Amino acid sequence: MPDAINPTLALLHRHRSIRRFTEEVVSDDDMTHAVAAAQMASTSSAVQAYCLIRVNDDAKRKRLVALTGDQIKVARCGAFLVVCGDTRRHRLVAERSGQPHHQNLESFMIATIDASLFAQNLAVAFESLGLGICYIGGLRNHPREVDELLGIPFGVFPLFGMCVGRPAEGPTARPRLPIDAVLFEESYPDDRTMLAALDRYDAHYVEYLKERDAKATPWSTRIAERFDHLEREELAVYYASKGASLT
Amino acid sequence: MPDAINPTLALLHRHRSIRRFTEEVVSDDDMTHAVAAAQMASTSSAVQAYCLIRVNDDAKRKRLVALTGDQIKVARCGAFLVVCGDTRRHRLVAERSGQPHHQNLESFMIATIDASLFAQNLAVAFESLGLGICYIGGLRNHPREVDELLGIPFGVFPLFGMCVGRPAEGPTARPRLPIDAVLFEESYPDDRTMLAALDRYDAHYVEYLKERDAKATPWSTRIAERFDHLEREELAVYYASKGASLT
């Protein structure tokens, strides 16, 4: 298996989302090294449309536990980070030079994609330092309250959180889609081919769950349930209120 | 400097976008290893809302050069990949089980973020194999034509391209924002503090450009120019036509 090819590929393969951490605080050195490396990620025309807020304060962390859906790990990790799309710097320099500042879906996507590339480099950097991470999509549950708690102004869009810390568990990795359901040659496959690949995946996924005495629900069933209703219905109105344009 | 700390941090620091490649084709082995490692990136509730289309065909590559804004490197690289947000698999399994499939901004963001985390892992994986990469945002210039060329169906959203190959140049890295303009403690800074950090960055940025005999335009000036007009104004209508909901 590719684990042996080089240390970085091996590191990527070892990734597991970590949900239980020791009490060790992430050091400023580790934080600085990881962020500096993360900033080297590609960014659209160097706009660097992202920022990171580290939350140490106990009371704020406790409030964030509640806001993210009672995720205790948000308080019990070595560092909690809020990853934001950031168009405010761009607004500030435009205002100062008296130029207009325009936004549309393209600029919102640039911020979202830039921030995500940065965040994934950050995750890899932390893991290279022996730390574990978990993304917290639940940060989008109550974004207005997150704004108020952290003084996040107009033009800055909280996207997700990240727990970081010394792992206190060693979970197994959930199997991913088979590569032929992800990487296509020349064109997108037809539905029949895709469904056949997903059937194989379901069988593999159920086998994995059974081995762990977990409820053997196929991936397909979980996915259909996940999208049979809407979640976070206020998000578009919220981001628009922060200066994003989704048109 | 952090370069010495571990091989992966050193690799992240060495990242440069590569725009000139040798004629060497990316091997299937390298492609498979990189994609398998990339798939280990975190994904929201395992939805894995992304896919990758590799374009080898010469005629298609030439057409993509034109569609991405005459970027010759799209034809002259060892592999050209189209990274898409993919909600089609989810639709297919929902349809098969007779369940409704709902979309809103949250599900579009999940696809965009999932695909970006995957893509950045992919970039890091390729670089660990000695290859270079360049993201191609120009893929969003004419997405309908990209769809037609690659048979990308309803529910699948082309987000950006990626050139991969053996580097035939060794560019220097553009300086990134100072870390105190990116990483904040407890709350977002005030405008004055931010502008002071950006002024320091501009001075550093101009110095870097002068050393390279490039036009010494401060970052702030370039940013104000970048956002004084809209780009890709059809994008929201286009993604909506593909089944995304931005509300």
Side-chain angles (χ1 to χ4, degrees):
Chain A
M1 272 303 287
D3 264 29
I5 285 187
N6 69 53
T8 298
L9 278 185
L11 183 80
L12 297 181
H13 274 280
R14 280 198 305 272
H15 167 74
R16 312 284 183 265
S17 288
I18 298 297
R19 296 176 174 87
R20 287 198 308 129
F21 300 92
T22 71
E23 293 192 356
E24 185 182 332
V25 171
V26 175
S27 72
D28 285 349
D29 262 11
D30 279 357
M31 185 61 61
T32 306
H33 286 154
V35 174
Q39 286 186 261
M40 293 306 299
S42 291
T43 160
S44 181
S45 304
V47 301
Q48 303 167 82
Y50 52 76
C51 71
L52 200 58
I53 303 177
R54 174 163 59 169
V55 185
N56 294 312
D57 181 77
D58 278 346
K60 283 185 178 171
R61 289 267 208 114
K62 270 186 197 142
R63 178 86 176 114
L64 285 167
V65 167
L67 293 176
T68 55
D70 289 323
Q71 300 197 50
I72 302 292
K73 58 183 172 289
V74 166
R76 294 189 188 155
C77 58
F80 184 71
L81 302 169
V82 174
V83 179
C84 304
D86 191 333
T87 64
R88 187 168 182 86
R89 296 183 199 102
H90 308 157
R91 285 179 184 276
L92 289 177
V93 298
E95 273 171 25
R96 186 161 66 168
S97 66
Q99 280 168 280
H101 182 80
H102 293 299
Q103 295 282 291
N104 61 0
L105 181 66
E106 166 67 9
S107 36
F108 183 72
M109 288 188 70
I110 285 180
T112 305
I113 294 169
D114 254 31
S116 302
L117 304 184
F118 165 78
Q120 185 55 21
N121 250 20
L122 190 65
V124 169
F126 281 129
E127 290 176 341
S128 82
L129 293 164
L131 300 168
I133 66 103
C134 185
Y135 284 94
I136 306 293
L139 195 86
R140 296 191 298 275
N141 289 351
H142 300 288
R144 285 178 218 278
E145 287 79 357
V146 172
D147 278 350
E148 202 174 322
L149 188 70
L150 306 180
I152 300 177
F154 188 84
V156 183
F157 319 124
L159 295 174
F160 44 81
M162 188 187 283
C163 296
V164 191
R166 190 75 53 192
E169 61 172 3
T172 54
R174 267 192 294 213
R176 299 308 203 251
L177 284 164
I179 196 165
D180 63 352
V182 170
L183 171 64
F184 312 126
E185 304 295 330
E186 305 298 348
S187 63
Y188 198 90
D190 62 33
D191 293 346
R192 202 174 153 149
T193 306
M194 179 62 89
L195 283 168
L198 297 181
D199 285 341
R200 277 186 286 116
Y201 181 48
D202 274 342
H204 179 45
Y205 199 82
V206 162
E207 207 53 49
Y208 160 86
L209 293 170
K210 276 186 189 160
E211 275 168 23
R212 273 142 203 90
D213 294 321
K215 197 179 159 214
T217 310
W219 180 82
S220 295
T221 307
R222 293 190 48 217
I223 289 292
E225 283 167 5
R226 168 64 187 78
F227 294 107
D228 70 359
H229 61 285
L230 291 174
E231 292 188 357
R232 299 171 188 148
E233 293 188 64
E234 297 301 315
L235 214 49
V237 170
Y238 160 73
Y239 284 127
S241 78
K242 294 297 295 292
S245 172
L246 303 172
T247 56
Chain B
M1 274 301 286
D3 264 31
I5 285 188
N6 68 53
T8 298
L9 279 186
L11 183 79
L12 297 181
H13 274 280
R14 281 199 305 273
H15 167 74
R16 312 285 184 264
S17 288
I18 297 297
R19 296 177 173 86
R20 288 199 307 128
F21 301 90
T22 71
E23 294 192 358
E24 185 183 331
V25 172
V26 175
S27 72
D28 286 348
D29 262 9
D30 280 356
M31 185 61 62
T32 305
H33 285 153
V35 174
Q39 285 186 262
M40 292 307 297
S42 290
T43 159
S44 181
S45 304
V47 301
Q48 305 168 79
Y50 52 75
C51 71
L52 201 58
I53 303 176
R54 173 162 61 169
V55 185
N56 294 313
D57 180 77
D58 278 345
K60 284 185 179 172
R61 288 267 208 114
K62 270 186 197 143
R63 177 85 176 115
L64 285 167
V65 168
L67 293 175
T68 55
D70 289 322
Q71 300 196 52
I72 302 292
K73 58 183 171 290
V74 167
R76 293 190 188 155
C77 58
F80 184 72
L81 302 169
V82 174
V83 179
C84 303
D86 191 332
T87 64
R88 187 168 182 87
R89 294 184 201 103
H90 307 158
R91 285 180 184 275
L92 290 177
V93 298
E95 272 171 26
R96 187 161 64 168
S97 65
Q99 281 167 278
H101 181 80
H102 293 300
Q103 295 281 292
N104 61 359
L105 181 66
E106 166 67 8
S107 39
F108 184 71
M109 290 189 68
I110 284 180
T112 305
I113 294 169
D114 253 30
S116 301
L117 304 184
F118 165 78
Q120 184 56 21
N121 250 20
L122 189 66
V124 169
F126 281 129
E127 290 176 342
S128 81
L129 293 164
L131 300 168
I133 67 102
C134 186
Y135 283 93
I136 306 294
L139 195 87
R140 295 190 298 275
N141 289 352
H142 300 288
R144 285 177 218 278
E145 287 80 356
V146 172
D147 279 349
E148 202 173 323
L149 188 70
L150 306 180
I152 300 177
F154 188 83
V156 183
F157 320 125
L159 295 173
F160 44 81
M162 187 186 284
C163 295
V164 191
R166 191 73 56 192
E169 61 172 4
T172 54
R174 267 193 292 215
R176 299 307 202 255
L177 284 164
I179 195 165
D180 62 353
V182 170
L183 171 63
F184 311 126
E185 303 295 331
E186 306 297 348
S187 64
Y188 197 89
D190 62 32
D191 293 347
R192 202 174 153 150
T193 306
M194 179 62 89
L195 282 168
L198 297 181
D199 285 342
R200 278 187 284 116
Y201 181 47
D202 273 343
H204 178 46
Y205 200 82
V206 162
E207 208 52 48
Y208 161 86
L209 292 170
K210 277 186 188 158
E211 276 168 21
R212 274 145 202 87
D213 294 322
K215 196 177 160 216
T217 310
W219 181 81
S220 294
T221 307
R222 294 190 47 217
I223 289 292
E225 282 168 7
R226 169 64 187 79
F227 294 108
D228 69 1
H229 61 284
L230 291 174
E231 293 188 356
R232 299 173 188 147
E233 293 188 63
E234 298 300 315
L235 214 48
V237 170
Y238 160 72
Y239 284 128
S241 79
K242 295 295 297 288
S245 171
L246 304 171
T247 57

